[in-house]
Amino acid sequence: APAAPAAPAAPAPWDLPLQTTHAPEETTTTTKKEELPEPQHSEGPLLYCFEVALVRGNEPELLRRQLASETGVFGCDTWSIFSEREMVLGRGPRGLITTTAIGGPMSSVKENTKDFLRVYRELSEAGHHRKSDWTIKVDPDTVLLADRLRHKLGSKDVVPTSNSLYYRNCAKYKSVQGPLEVFSQAAAIRFLESVDKCERDEEINQKGEDWFFGHCMEAIGIKGVEDYDLLDDGYCTGHRPKEQCSEDRAAFHPFKTTEGYTLCLTDAKVKLNNAVLA
């Protein structure tokens, strides 16, 4: 008798189909403000990380790879992911992981400030930045190693609940680049309270989100501190991927494919589970 056909292999966590319908409430873990978990109280400072992702193109698959490898925002103590409409990324310990819809259409890179203004208001209303030492904005194509970032921030002589600061991460331009924006709890509170004021300032609200972020911070009296040991952004350093990911930095950018993202994790000596390596 012919052998029975083999059962189909279970999909990898990042291979789940894109969905826009709501999963059953009892099995859904979302990043919505009313359901966001409390910080996990890991060793070192508490990190609240957020990112904004497109529902089309390569970003959904990048997020699924990050979920599978427990890197990116999924390595932070608390996190949120926003997108034009809700999408399912995969399964977590308490059910499906979905993004929070902020409406659209989403804008291009050079015109994305209005998308982030909606996100900033979501963050302000949710208030999770008030429970964490540091708030971190991450781009979907950034390889973020949260444990490294936690260690680097924990070793600084900074009291994030009272010292208002953000970090400039690009030596070439002496600027803060959007792939990784790191700001203290005190700075996050003041910044989110000042978003409406900065939106009305034509000098601040004229370019992309990282321009808005840095110039708004400076306008409200929060100074950027230079720290070029946090991020290697290839657009700033000119480094090739192999050079970037072998460095002792907390984040690397840009990695726009799942293959490139995984290679960076390997070069960074991150221990990967079999699902990621498959």
Side-chain angles (χ1 to χ4, degrees):
W14 58 85
D15 287 335
L16 287 172
L18 179 66
Q19 300 180 30
T20 57
T21 56
H22 290 270
E25 184 176 350
E26 65 273 16
T27 63
T28 301
T29 298
T30 76
T31 59
K32 295 177 181 177
K33 54 184 176 295
E34 67 272 14
E35 300 179 13
L36 199 67
E38 290 294 311
Q40 296 301 306
H41 297 283
S42 58
E43 293 185 11
L46 293 175
L47 308 183
Y48 171 55
C49 300
F50 73 93
E51 62 189 342
V52 179
L54 300 173
V55 298
R56 300 183 185 277
N58 63 321
E59 292 186 358
E61 294 307 308
L62 282 171
L63 296 182
R64 291 174 179 128
R65 181 60 56 98
Q66 293 162 23
L67 174 60
S69 60
E70 298 181 346
T71 59
V73 300
F74 302 107
C76 300
D77 300 284
T78 317
W79 47 265
S80 300
I81 303 175
F82 302 92
S83 56
E84 178 179 336
R85 62 178 185 271
E86 182 183 79
M87 59 178 172
V88 175
L89 299 178
R91 290 193 177 275
R94 295 187 296 168
L96 292 179
I97 303 294
T98 68
T99 63
T100 296
I102 58 169
M106 302 285 278
S107 306
S108 67
V109 173
K110 294 183 179 180
E111 301 172 341
N112 63 353
T113 299
K114 62 183 180 181
D115 301 324
F116 278 87
L117 290 172
R118 297 198 296 276
V119 170
Y120 294 150
R121 292 178 178 114
E122 288 272 352
L123 298 180
S124 182
E125 182 180 353
H128 298 291
H129 59 291
R130 296 178 180 270
K131 302 177 183 179
S132 299
D133 298 307
W134 297 91
T135 294
I136 320 294
K137 178 259 181 177
V138 188
D139 280 351
D141 60 344
T142 297
V143 178
L144 170 64
L145 306 179
D147 283 344
R148 285 192 190 177
L149 181 59
R150 194 176 286 112
H151 174 75
K152 289 177 181 294
L153 294 175
S155 65
K156 296 182 182 299
D157 186 21
V158 173
V159 181
T161 55
S162 57
N163 298 148
S164 293
L165 60 92
Y166 73 96
Y167 287 109
R168 298 183 183 184
N169 52 32
C170 177
K172 181 177 181 180
Y173 302 114
K174 300 293 189 293
S175 64
V176 55
Q177 300 295 97
L180 185 77
E181 296 170 1
V182 179
F183 43 121
S184 66
Q185 181 190 116
I189 292 172
R190 288 177 58 190
F191 171 73
L192 292 175
E193 289 175 345
S194 305
V195 164
D196 289 345
K197 176 182 177 182
C198 290
E199 182 183 10
R200 295 190 294 269
D201 189 314
E202 294 183 358
E203 176 65 23
I204 296 173
N205 190 17
Q206 64 166 306
K207 296 185 180 180
E209 175 274 334
D210 49 1
W211 173 281
F212 181 94
F213 173 80
H215 284 73
C216 182
M217 283 287 195
E218 297 290 331
I220 62 177
I222 299 176
K223 298 300 181 182
V225 176
E226 295 182 13
D227 189 331
Y228 306 127
D229 191 41
L230 299 177
L231 168 72
D232 188 319
D233 182 5
Y235 296 134
C236 174
T237 64
H239 290 163
R240 298 174 64 85
K242 191 75 173 180
E243 296 177 272
Q244 290 178 278
C245 300
S246 59
E247 297 178 332
D248 183 30
R249 300 200 190 188
F252 313 97
H253 177 268
F255 290 87
K256 298 185 179 295
T257 66
T258 55
E259 293 79 11
Y261 188 95
T262 304
L263 283 174
C264 183
L265 293 179
T266 301
D267 291 337
K269 303 295 191 295
V270 175
K271 186 176 181 180
L272 301 176
N273 59 47
N274 290 333
V276 179
L277 294 172

